Amino acid sequence: MAHIEDRTIENTTINRPSLGGRSSKPGSRRGSGSVVLKSGQTLAYHTRTNDEDDLPHATKKTMADYLRKYESIMRIITEAFKETLEKGLKEHGQVVPMIPTYVFGWPTGNEQGDFLAVDLGGTNLRVCLVTLNGSGQFELTQAKYRLTEEQKHEDGQKLFDFCADCLGMFVKSQLEEDFGKLKSGQELALGFTGLPIKLTALINDTTGTLIASRYVKPETKIGCIFGTGCNAAYMEKIGNIEKINNLNLPADQEMAINCEWGAFDSFEHEHLPRTKYDIIVDETSNKPGEQAFEKLISGRYLGEILRLVLCELIDEGVLFLGQETYKLENPYAFDTAFLSLMESDPTEELLMIVGIFTYFFAIETTLAERQFFRALARLIGTRAARLSACGIAAIVSKIGCLDEGCSVGADGSLYNKYPNFADRIHEGLVAIFGERGKNIQTHHAEDGSGVGSAIIAVTFQP
Ligand code: ADP
Ligand code: MG
């Protein structure tokens, strides 16, 4: 695996190994074997089961060289990212739009009340009943509904009807369960459910996460989402948001900015290194050229990147010869959750990976193949986390909080469930900033968007 990783770091492409030499010793405590590189060179690999790095001893030095090179690429990306953020504050219509949210300033932590929240994500719809108790405390009951592919692509009316149905079902179930609680404090009226619900605030999930994180953890300065998509928000002095200077808002007051940073490097593709697989993901997507940063990072795409590598190996007759592979050849058939499972497989024989391939794709795999798949997942997941670190570092450097330190509240399945995602972000921050990078820590902002919208709704209550 490590050699594959070496080559990748050197070329910033995932090189195609031939898995012809499948020679993992049966019963060996260590995975080992050989891969034939494109150049024709054969490399032995050897994976220690309990080592995070999985470095073969012979190449440690060169690996360190590659890492240094990588770190400088990360710093260059961070710098370009920061400039892009600044541009977005200056002028309307920039690639990274830096949207003014009109959410003014931080919550105090003492906000109180009961609120309903509906969170429409790229994969899930969540309906929550949030009780803010003050002192940074909250309680939350939620129901999660998975959106179907049709719902994501059909006309909006049907989707909103579905939201209303879910909201209605949730409220009814809550009324049955806990009548007293729901009755107190709300007038519930969106009209369509026949229930008295009043729409108070409409908020972006990332802005919500920023506000919710701060409510719970006063050191918070940045909020991030790593789910189907990825995004960040932070608090900016109004005077620095040059593009809205004409509104004559108090320059010293603060306003949350929804960066929509997933758009970084869109169209031009001048800052982020992309592999040919990334280019296929982009060109076959419904928005080619757009969301360039997000396409390297978020849950919607990571599984697809891995799938494209496998498909290429299938096409070239290297993998799964003689097996039916049509299930795997379906675009987006390989969920990012599989990468999480593959990386966290605790068994020597990688039985979890056996399960994924047999159960979902009816494909048999060898141990050497599974080790390669896991290595691939690790590369894709690590790259996503390290690029995320570049985005966070850009905001940290923009607001100048590196020495003082801060916390970054993060939510979304990728952040919450992908093994080591947070640690890899932290490593990335150290790679960019050196030891001072440790001043920036991320934490899970639980149900950030729901809690955040409740907090923001408090401000807008009559
Ligand atoms: P939403 O984006 O709708 O708010 P989530 O935050 O749950 O929803 O993110 C959904 C995305 O996370 C999907 O792209 C899915 O593939 C991915 N995902 C779901 N479970 C996991 C997991 N265990 N590990 C990594 N990614 C996951
Ligand atoms: Mg979400």
Side-chain angles (χ1 to χ4, degrees):
M1 166 229 144
H3 289 282
I4 299 164
E5 203 161 59
D6 283 357
R7 304 292 299 176
T8 304
I9 285 168
E10 182 186 26
N11 298 334
T12 57
T13 62
I14 297 169
N15 271 307
R16 186 186 64 76
S18 153
L19 291 167
R22 296 165 191 168
S23 58
S24 226
K25 284 191 210 114
S28 162
R29 278 199 51 79
R30 295 167 170 194
S32 58
S34 64
V35 292
V36 181
L37 299 173
K38 236 178 185 169
S39 59
Q41 199 185 357
T42 305
L43 292 171
Y45 69 80
H46 162 113
T47 309
R48 279 159 290 161
T49 41
N50 57 355
D51 189 323
E52 274 288 297
D53 293 324
D54 286 341
L55 289 176
H57 308 288
T59 59
K60 261 192 173 153
K61 191 167 178 299
T62 36
M63 187 70 181
D65 291 341
Y66 291 139
L67 279 177
R68 259 195 299 282
K69 188 171 153 195
Y70 219 84
E71 284 171 9
S72 72
I73 293 173
M74 288 172 70
R75 288 190 204 110
I76 292 166
I77 293 172
T78 303
E79 201 46 45
F81 212 130
K82 184 181 162 207
E83 282 170 21
T84 306
L85 300 178
E86 280 163 353
K87 226 173 169 180
L89 288 177
K90 249 194 202 121
E91 293 161 39
H92 291 287
Q94 295 301 303
V95 174
V96 174
M98 304 295 278
I99 301 168
T101 61
Y102 299 90
V103 169
F104 296 99
W106 295 114
T108 61
N110 293 321
E111 291 78 1
Q112 294 190 11
D114 295 326
F115 298 88
L116 276 170
V118 177
D119 173 8
L120 181 59
T123 304
N124 300 301
L125 172 76
R126 295 183 176 86
V127 184
C128 330
L129 175 60
V130 185
T131 304
L132 302 173
N133 293 325
S135 313
Q137 307 284 318
F138 69 86
E139 289 160 55
L140 184 138
T141 316
Q142 73 159 311
K144 186 165 129 180
Y145 309 86
R146 204 182 161 108
L147 299 169
T148 63
E149 282 309 307
E150 290 105 71
Q151 281 168 331
K152 288 183 213 166
H153 301 294
E154 269 171 357
D155 68 87
Q157 189 58 49
K158 281 190 185 163
L159 180 62
F160 291 125
D161 284 347
F162 177 69
C163 293
D165 286 343
C166 293
L167 184 57
M169 280 188 294
F170 179 78
V171 169
K172 274 187 197 125
S173 74
Q174 288 301 305
L175 283 171
E176 277 160 21
E177 231 171 67
D178 195 352
F179 185 73
K181 188 171 182 183
L182 244 193
K183 218 177 103 193
S184 72
Q186 317 73 5
E187 183 195 357
L188 310 154
L190 286 175
F192 46 67
T193 60
L195 288 159
I197 297 170
K198 180 163 174 269
L199 181 63
T200 321
L202 195 55
I203 291 127
N204 169 271
D205 59 347
T206 316
T207 309
T209 298
L210 173 72
I211 298 298
S213 309
R214 177 72 170 221
Y215 178 81
V216 175
K217 207 172 168 72
E219 307 87 277
T220 303
K221 288 199 183 349
I222 299 169
C224 290
I225 292 283
F226 301 103
T228 312
C230 82
N231 191 12
Y234 73 103
M235 201 59 81
E236 185 60 88
K237 252 178 72 172
I238 291 174
N240 292 340
I241 316 171
E242 273 183 57
K243 63 184 174 184
I244 57 164
N245 270 357
N246 59 322
L247 301 181
N248 294 320
L249 297 167
D252 282 341
Q253 240 189 43
E254 289 185 308
M255 186 194 285
I257 297 288
N258 164 19
C259 301
E260 290 298 341
W261 78 4
F264 173 61
D265 208 30
S266 291
F267 310 113
E268 304 290 330
H269 303 297
E270 53 183 339
H271 304 298
L272 302 169
R274 294 193 303 163
T275 66
K276 59 179 166 180
Y277 312 103
D278 300 316
I279 293 170
I280 299 172
V281 165
D282 182 36
E283 288 177 353
T284 57
S285 72
N286 54 4
K287 290 183 177 170
E290 294 183 37
Q291 297 299 95
F293 186 60
E294 181 166 88
K295 281 173 178 154
L296 304 177
I297 292 179
S298 76
R300 170 133 181 88
Y301 303 104
L302 300 190
E304 178 64 2
I305 296 169
L306 188 137
R307 194 193 68 85
L308 286 169
V309 179
L310 300 192
C311 283
E312 184 184 61
L313 293 167
I314 292 169
D315 284 348
E316 295 184 357
V318 177
L319 270 185
F320 311 140
L321 263 184
Q323 299 196 57
E324 285 286 358
T325 51
Y326 66 95
K327 285 190 177 174
L328 188 59
E329 284 169 48
N330 259 333
Y332 290 89
F334 208 88
D335 199 286
T336 301
F338 291 148
L339 273 67
S340 280
L341 289 171
M342 286 161 73
E343 282 217 48
S344 59
D345 192 334
T347 66
E348 274 171 36
E349 299 295 310
L350 301 178
L351 298 176
M352 185 88 87
I353 305 182
V354 172
I356 293 170
F357 279 85
T358 50
Y359 185 78
F360 291 97
F361 303 104
I363 290 173
E364 282 177 24
T365 52
T366 66
L367 180 57
E369 285 166 349
R370 297 195 292 278
Q371 285 165 338
F372 168 64
F373 302 156
R374 172 144 81 171
L376 210 49
R378 191 176 297 184
L379 281 175
I380 294 168
T382 304
R383 183 183 67 161
R386 292 195 152 219
L387 288 172
S388 305
C390 294
I392 293 170
I395 298 181
V396 164
S397 136
K398 161 82 190 66
I399 60 183
C401 66
L402 180 58
D403 287 317
E404 175 196 350
C406 77
S407 196
V408 178
D411 200 8
S413 287
L414 196 61
Y415 182 84
N416 300 334
K417 296 182 189 161
Y418 201 106
N420 303 321
F421 196 78
D423 291 342
R424 288 169 182 173
I425 290 180
H426 298 148
E427 282 161 21
L429 288 165
V430 171
I432 295 164
F433 290 129
E435 281 299 293
R436 285 190 303 168
K438 292 184 180 159
N439 297 344
I440 314 300
Q441 289 295 317
T442 66
H443 71 274
H444 177 203
E446 219 179 328
D447 302 302
S449 58
V451 176
S453 58
I455 297 163
I456 294 165
V458 173
T459 328
F460 290 97
Q461 269 187 317

